[in-house]
Amino acid sequence: MTGVPASAAGGTSGAQGAASGRADARGVSGAPSAAGASRVARLGSGDSGSASRGAARAAQEPDGGRPARGGKITAAAVNQASVWNVANLLTMLRLLLVPGFVALMLADGGYDPAWRSFAWAAFAVAMITDLFDGHLARTYDLVTDFGKIADPIADKAIMGAALICLSALGDLPWWVTGVILGRELGITLLRFLVIRYGVIPASRGGKLKTLTQGVAVGMYVLALTGWLATLRFWVMAAAVVLTVVTGLDYVRQAVVLRRRGIAERRAALRESEA
């Protein structure tokens, strides 16, 4: 009988299994882990197949089953890269158009029809991107903290620049510019003051106001004469009325939201005390 004794064979297999288990327990860096130690105990019984499977699992999960640290870094990089989405790029474009619009608006004294036409084109592009970036962000889940801050800033920057330029050139009364800009800044501040109680949603009247303002300012940017000049006056009048009415409505919503929030907090406090 020339075969190897069963005990010797078992010992050889157990030694190989224990060696594999030690390599598995230490992993790539050579540092032992609790999971690896438990595998060593199992492998000591001579299950060499379990040793192979344990080594494969350890290679995939080098830290006892916890995800690799590189996965968290990769996820963070993806979240950071998401800032550079198409919606935010349109917002950045609108911000860059503001100084270009002012330069075109005031070129050659601010009364040259050709330069005013180029300024109108820049203003129109800014208004169009304003319509698309918010829709894209909501539809394709591209909402970011940068977009929440930069989008309203870009909206008010291009509108404010146009109104101030028109008033400085004498095309639009300063009180109109004051009413529109005062309302926009006031409502923005009001939103921040009541944000602890909730968010004031954009109403249909507010959207109509924005559209009417854009059309009216665009008509004033162009060097219109005759009946078109008369028409733009009435469009701007409608924009001013909508600006005031919707502003008062936002104030009402803010007051109701604040009262409701205070009442809910008091009710929650009474329940916790009871």
Side-chain angles (χ1 to χ4, degrees), residues 13-259:
S13 175
Q16 293 174 350
S20 301
R22 286 192 298 272
D24 178 24
R26 293 182 178 274
V28 178
S29 63
S33 64
S38 63
R39 292 189 185 112
V40 171
R42 292 197 302 271
L43 293 172
S45 62
D47 187 357
S48 59
S50 298
S52 301
R53 291 192 296 270
R57 284 194 301 268
Q60 295 175 359
E61 301 175 357
D63 196 15
R66 291 194 298 269
R69 186 177 299 174
K72 296 181 180 179
I73 298 176
T74 304
V78 170
N79 291 336
Q80 293 176 0
S82 65
V83 174
W84 299 94
N85 58 60
V86 64
N88 288 344
L89 289 176
L90 290 176
T91 300
M92 295 177 195
L93 173 63
R94 196 158 70 254
L95 286 170
L96 293 175
L97 282 173
V98 174
F101 166 81
V102 173
L104 293 171
M105 189 71 182
L106 302 179
D108 197 15
Y111 298 102
D112 186 273
W115 288 113
R116 294 283 285 260
S117 298
F118 288 124
W120 176 87
F123 181 80
V125 170
M127 290 294 100
I128 291 173
T129 58
D130 181 28
L131 295 176
F132 280 103
D133 61 356
H135 174 73
L136 290 173
R138 291 186 297 270
T139 302
Y140 297 101
D141 196 20
L142 301 176
V143 178
T144 62
D145 291 336
F146 171 80
K148 293 176 183 178
I149 298 173
D151 182 68
I153 292 176
D155 298 343
K156 291 169 178 57
I158 188 66
M159 182 61 68
L163 290 169
I164 292 173
C165 285
L166 289 171
S167 294
L169 293 172
D171 294 338
L172 191 67
W174 276 106
W175 70 265
V176 174
T177 297
V179 168
I180 294 178
L181 293 185
R183 183 268 191 196
E184 298 300 329
L185 296 177
I187 295 303
T188 300
L189 179 61
L190 187 64
R191 287 177 183 272
F192 281 109
L193 290 176
V194 300
I195 192 67
R196 69 183 69 179
Y197 305 110
V199 178
I200 304 176
S203 63
R204 292 183 178 180
K207 295 178 181 178
L208 179 60
K209 177 269 305 178
T210 301
L211 177 62
T212 308
Q213 281 183 359
V215 174
V217 172
M219 294 179 72
Y220 269 86
V221 170
L222 288 172
L224 301 178
T225 58
W227 68 272
L228 288 175
T230 304
L231 177 62
R232 73 182 182 182
F233 169 81
W234 290 109
V235 176
M236 180 59 76
V240 171
V241 171
L242 287 172
T243 297
V244 174
V245 171
T246 55
L248 294 175
D249 182 63
Y250 278 122
V251 172
R252 180 192 61 81
Q253 292 185 53
V255 172
V256 171
L257 186 63
R258 182 177 181 274
R259 289 177 178 175

